[in-house]
Every structure is written in C-alpha cells, then in structure tokens.
Amino acid sequence: MKIQELNAWEILDSRGRPTVAVEARLEDGSIGQAQVPSGASTGTHEAVELRDGDPHRYAGKGVLRAVSHVTGEIAAAVKGMDAHRQSALDRRMIELDGTPNKGRLGANAILGVSCAVARAAAASSKIPLWLHLAAGRTASLPVPMVNILSGGHHASHNIEFQDFLALPHGFATFAESIHAAAAVHKAAYDLIVEAGYTLTGVADEGGWGPLLRSNGEALDLLSKAIERAGYRPGEQVSIAIDVASSHFFRDGRYHLHTEGRILSGEEMVEQLVDWCARYPVISIEDGLAEDDWDHWPRLTKALGGRVQLIGDDFFTTNVARVRRGIAERSANAVLVKMNQIGTLTETLEVTGVALAAGWRAVISARSGETEDAFLSDLAVASGAGQIKVGSITRSERLAKWNRLLELEAKGGLTLQPFGA
Ligand code: PGA
Ligand code: ZN
C-alpha cells in the first residue's frame, strides 16, 4: 500500500521538552502515528537529534526544523513508496539525509517517519503492530528490567550509577514479573522512609532518587528490598545495574566520588567483580566507558560467563560497533534504542546480529519518553527477550508495561525465559 501523505508536529516528552510526532497516511486511508523519545545520558556515537537552537523557544530545544523536514523533503521523497517495504523506505531516508549520523535531516525526523509508516502498514493489513514487525520471526513477551533506584543524570547526580533495577527472572508470566517488580519498588520505598531519607517525588524514569551516600549503599538497599518483598535474590528477582560509566569517566579514569575513589580501567573491572560477588547482580550495563575498548574484553573475561554485560552508550545501537564488539569479545549483550540509530530497519538489524552471535538484546526506552508504546511491540516482534523502560510509575513508562500486559492477556504470546 502506497504512502500518500506525511504530517508532523511538535509535542512534549516526559521531561517537558519538545519532540517529534509523525502521522503517515496511506492510499487506502490507513493511518499510523509515532512519537520520538529523547535521552539525557546520551552516547557520543548516537545519531543526531536535530534541535532548533532558537534560544527564544524551549531554550533552544525546539524541533520545528525536524518537523519541517518530515513534511517537506522526506514527504516528497517517500510519497508513493510501498509502506510494506520498510527497508527500502529507511534506505531512501538514509540516502536523502546523506550524512553518516543523520545529522542533516535529524534522526528524530527520520525515526518518526520510519515508525509511523510501520504502524500505518500494520493498520492497512489489519494486524497488530507486533505481528507486522515480526515478519516471520518467533515473537515472545520480554522479561522486564524495572528501575527501582535512580542516580546520575536522571536524579540530580545524587550518586554516580544511573539505574538500579529489579530483574524478575524467575516467573512464568509477564504479569507475575511486573507484580514482583512493583512489590520491590514498594519495599524500597518503605526502606528509604524507615532509614530517614527525604524523598521529593520520583526521578526521570519513575524510580526513587534518594540522596544516598554511595553506589554500594544503593546496592545494599535494593538487595534488602528484594528480600523485604518476599523474593529469593538470585533465584526469583535479581539486580541489574546501569553504571552509565561514560558520564563519570574523565582523563582515562573512573571518578566515583561518592565511593571516595578514582579508578583505572583495571580497578573498575575489579570493583564490578567485587560488587557482583557481594550482591545478586546478574546484569551490568555500560560498566565501562563508551570508548574504553581495551578494558571491555577484560570485564567480559572476568564476568561474562555468569553476568549479562550490556553495551548501551558503548554500542549506540550501531551495527558496526556491535560487530566490532562481537569480534573483540567486548560484551555479551546490546541495549537497543531506536533513536540512537534512527530507523526501524537498522534497529532490527542490530538486534538480529546480536542474537545470531549468541548475544542477548534488551529493547530500551529513553529517559525522555512519550505515551507511545511502539517499543513494546518491537520487543515482542524482535524476540529480543528483555525490555527496559524505567519504573512502574509515570504514565510514559506504564504505556509500555500496560501494552505488554494487554498482549499477554489477549493470549497467543508467552514469556521468553531469561537468557533463553
Ligand atoms: P537515557 O538513559 O535515555 O538518558 O540515555 C537511558 C539509559 O542510559 O539506559
Ligand atoms: Zn544506559
């Protein structure tokens, strides 16, 4: 079915910053909309998010230029193309942009079109989005990774590590997994209040962001919260952390101020090994910095046999970086964020390359999100097996969990066991 028209406009994300919304209309009248997310702790190698830079609107963060690229140049180039041929559409936009990082038209413009057209194509075929995206792959519900405590860029730099997440890996259904994560979230709240910490609402992704003394203290608190909620750590609910270490890496060293230590790459690896021995940590994201290629293989050698080691800022959903990581045994999993690369086709390619190499893939939201739950369908369709969208508060997060609960309730999809 041919693309007839693209419309686009500026909306606000969950931090109150502008982002792009796109609507695609096909010749049969089918319509698809998509909203583009936005990160705060972004990787250097991400595709470009085009901002207006006009200081009189949203402190320069407006996206009217990206919007006009959708309705102008991109619409002119893709009108008449077949909405069911996603890779041809995405290739056309990449060529039209002409830069290696989508810096001319903006990854926010291109991704909006990529996803809106996929939705319209699904509507035209009268099938759910996940089934359209699966295109022959085995679809399954992902295990959720749920933010409980936040730090770093998402919580006013209280502590260095960015996310302390509950990973409910010992349950048969998605609904039971979310239930366990919600119970841990509540138990963590009770422990924080009992310990006398002041809480002033939730952090950017809906987790608690108390002013803890150190990263170690956060690990301690989360371990206790899992037990307080009545679960066996390591068996039913374990810990995942997003160290987001690029954001405290300077001059070749890791600056862990709250621990009172500045570490070399080797020492950072030792520190992570030690934390995994002391706490039920089974997944570490960005344990090392985005260009610390030398130390990533050492971390993988030390922990890769028993801990999931994910590259987020390290790989930026970029297939060339993931291929290098596979060749150098740098990690064993990739975080997949559509707007880090800017098209649906490239996103699915990265996921496919990772899974084919025996790696794991985690489909992820951004810290700046919208009510769009596209990535829930993407997680199901890609067979990635895991998803990370923040906590169990804030509706931009719940849109994603609730979509997965809906898909499970309607039947026909089962939870992919963790690590399978
Ligand atoms: P971001 O954070 O969206 O702010 O980049 C999410 C993450 O690091 O996983
Ligand atoms: Zn991350």
PDB file of all heavy atoms in Angstrom, residues 162 242 285 312 337 388, ligand 2:
ATOM      1  N   GLN A 162      23.587   5.113  37.310  1.00  0.00           N
ATOM      2  CA  GLN A 162      22.342   5.702  36.824  1.00  0.00           C
ATOM      3  C   GLN A 162      21.084   4.919  37.200  1.00  0.00           C
ATOM      4  O   GLN A 162      20.065   5.509  37.548  1.00  0.00           O
ATOM      5  CB  GLN A 162      22.443   5.820  35.308  1.00  0.00           C
ATOM      6  CG  GLN A 162      21.297   6.520  34.644  1.00  0.00           C
ATOM      7  CD  GLN A 162      21.598   6.707  33.174  1.00  0.00           C
ATOM      8  OE1 GLN A 162      22.424   7.513  32.796  1.00  0.00           O
ATOM      9  NE2 GLN A 162      20.934   5.947  32.339  1.00  0.00           N
ATOM     10  N   ASP A 242      22.658  -0.132  35.650  1.00  0.00           N
ATOM     11  CA  ASP A 242      23.193   0.630  34.521  1.00  0.00           C
ATOM     12  C   ASP A 242      24.182   1.616  35.120  1.00  0.00           C
ATOM     13  O   ASP A 242      23.796   2.614  35.722  1.00  0.00           O
ATOM     14  CB  ASP A 242      22.076   1.360  33.758  1.00  0.00           C
ATOM     15  CG  ASP A 242      22.626   2.134  32.562  1.00  0.00           C
ATOM     16  OD1 ASP A 242      23.858   2.075  32.329  1.00  0.00           O
ATOM     17  OD2 ASP A 242      21.829   2.785  31.862  1.00  0.00           O
ATOM     18  N   GLU A 285      25.098  -2.854  32.773  1.00  0.00           N
ATOM     19  CA  GLU A 285      25.098  -2.068  31.534  1.00  0.00           C
ATOM     20  C   GLU A 285      26.162  -0.975  31.623  1.00  0.00           C
ATOM     21  O   GLU A 285      26.285  -0.320  32.662  1.00  0.00           O
ATOM     22  CB  GLU A 285      23.701  -1.462  31.376  1.00  0.00           C
ATOM     23  CG  GLU A 285      23.499  -0.608  30.138  1.00  0.00           C
ATOM     24  CD  GLU A 285      22.054  -0.083  30.094  1.00  0.00           C
ATOM     25  OE1 GLU A 285      21.127  -0.780  30.570  1.00  0.00           O
ATOM     26  OE2 GLU A 285      21.862   1.037  29.596  1.00  0.00           O
ATOM     27  N   ASP A 312      25.430   0.013  26.068  1.00  0.00           N
ATOM     28  CA  ASP A 312      24.411   0.999  25.664  1.00  0.00           C
ATOM     29  C   ASP A 312      25.127   2.154  24.954  1.00  0.00           C
ATOM     30  O   ASP A 312      25.244   2.161  23.729  1.00  0.00           O
ATOM     31  CB  ASP A 312      23.643   1.465  26.909  1.00  0.00           C
ATOM     32  CG  ASP A 312      22.749   2.678  26.656  1.00  0.00           C
ATOM     33  OD1 ASP A 312      22.480   2.997  25.490  1.00  0.00           O
ATOM     34  OD2 ASP A 312      22.316   3.330  27.640  1.00  0.00           O
ATOM     35  N   LYS A 337      18.150   0.918  21.363  1.00  0.00           N
ATOM     36  CA  LYS A 337      17.313   2.123  21.440  1.00  0.00           C
ATOM     37  C   LYS A 337      17.147   2.662  20.031  1.00  0.00           C
ATOM     38  O   LYS A 337      18.128   3.065  19.400  1.00  0.00           O
ATOM     39  CB  LYS A 337      18.009   3.179  22.297  1.00  0.00           C
ATOM     40  CG  LYS A 337      18.113   2.853  23.782  1.00  0.00           C
ATOM     41  CD  LYS A 337      19.070   3.847  24.426  1.00  0.00           C
ATOM     42  CE  LYS A 337      18.981   3.844  25.951  1.00  0.00           C
ATOM     43  NZ  LYS A 337      20.091   4.632  26.539  1.00  0.00           N
ATOM     44  N   LYS A 388      13.527  -2.790  28.835  1.00  0.00           N
ATOM     45  CA  LYS A 388      13.838  -1.863  29.933  1.00  0.00           C
ATOM     46  C   LYS A 388      13.178  -0.524  29.597  1.00  0.00           C
ATOM     47  O   LYS A 388      13.536   0.086  28.596  1.00  0.00           O
ATOM     48  CB  LYS A 388      15.359  -1.719  30.001  1.00  0.00           C
ATOM     49  CG  LYS A 388      15.884  -0.691  30.966  1.00  0.00           C
ATOM     50  CD  LYS A 388      17.391  -0.484  30.757  1.00  0.00           C
ATOM     51  CE  LYS A 388      17.846   0.725  31.545  1.00  0.00           C
ATOM     52  NZ  LYS A 388      19.140   1.256  31.124  1.00  0.00           N
TER      53      LYS A 388
HETATM   54 ZN    ZN B   2      22.182   3.054  29.736  1.00  0.00          ZN
END
